[in-house]
Amino acid sequence: MAKWYCAGCDEEMETEWDYEPKYCCNGYMCACQAKPINPIFCDKCVEQMKGAVSDG
Ligand SMILES: [Zn+2]
Ligand SMILES: [Zn+2]
């Protein structure tokens, strides 16, 4: 278990596995904006995304 922040709503959440954020670079002049390239989302945001997909 590890604690991290949801990439969707910034809520602190617990991950079931040892999540290690991977970064592309420091974000300078890059679209990654120094955010992890493997973002994680809380259950709420996952449900929202699922809903958005099934709506489409
Ligand atoms: Zn969230
Ligand atoms: Zn980058």
Side-chain angles (χ1 to χ4, degrees):
M1 284 292 241
K3 283 203 170 166
W4 196 249
Y5 293 92
C6 167
C9 61
D10 278 339
E11 292 268 348
E12 193 179 75
M13 58 181 279
E14 286 190 346
T15 61
E16 289 172 17
W17 70 99
D18 282 337
Y19 170 69
E20 262 189 63
K22 289 196 173 68
Y23 293 94
C24 161
C25 66
N26 65 7
Y28 182 66
M29 299 280 280
C30 180
C32 73
Q33 298 188 319
K35 289 182 178 148
I37 56 175
N38 60 343
I40 53 170
F41 298 91
C42 70
D43 290 346
K44 231 172 20 179
C45 289
V46 169
E47 285 304 312
Q48 268 181 13
M49 280 186 280
K50 275 190 202 161
V53 169
S54 61
D55 268 359

